[in-house]
Every structure is written in C-alpha cells, then in structure tokens.
Amino acid sequence: MEFIPALKLGVAVLTNADDGNPASYCDYALQLLTPIVAKEMARAAPAFAEDAERYCATIARKRQSDDARDRGSMTS
C-alpha cells in the first residue's frame, strides 16, 4: 500500500503471496495514475456567475419554508 497525500491518491495491491511482488504493482499503478490525478487537480474550478449567490439564498429560503410547512401539517 502506498499513498501520495498531496494528490489524495493511494494504491493498495492484494496478492495471495509475496512472491507476486506487490510493491512493483503499486509502483506501476502510481506511475500510471499520478500524472492523471495531478492534471485533474491542476485544473481550475469554474467560477460562479456574478449573480449565483442570490440563487443559493433562494434555495435555502425555500427549503426552510418547506420544512416549516411540513412540520405544521404533521401536527394538524
């Protein structure tokens, strides 16, 4: 088992015996996966639209009013 914490990447290899050399499979998997994961992590997250915050607040308010309505209907 090997980890690369900076990339949040880990590899575990399970074999029936040590003669299968699991460390070599771990190394090979990390050689294949590290560039792919690093490239994905380097991509910038898309920016929100300038007015996106108002939609987040609307959803939160709607959820609160729905919850309040549901609590009221359960008691009547």
Side-chain angles (χ1 to χ4, degrees):
M1 193 171 346
E2 295 183 29
F3 298 99
I4 302 177
L7 296 178
K8 298 180 181 177
L9 176 63
V11 174
V13 175
L14 305 175
T15 61
N16 289 337
D18 283 341
D19 61 353
N21 196 7
S24 67
Y25 288 105
C26 272
D27 292 340
Y28 186 66
L30 288 175
Q31 287 175 5
L32 291 175
L33 295 173
T34 299
I36 296 167
V37 173
K39 182 179 177 183
E40 286 298 315
M41 289 187 72
R43 291 191 343 182
F48 285 112
E50 291 180 18
D51 62 344
E53 188 173 317
R54 72 183 182 135
Y55 294 108
C56 294
T58 301
I59 292 169
R61 281 193 301 270
K62 175 151 178 39
R63 188 173 296 140
Q64 288 172 350
S65 66
D66 289 349
D67 289 346
R69 184 189 70 233
D70 291 343
R71 281 192 303 271
S73 66
M74 291 174 69
T75 58
S76 38

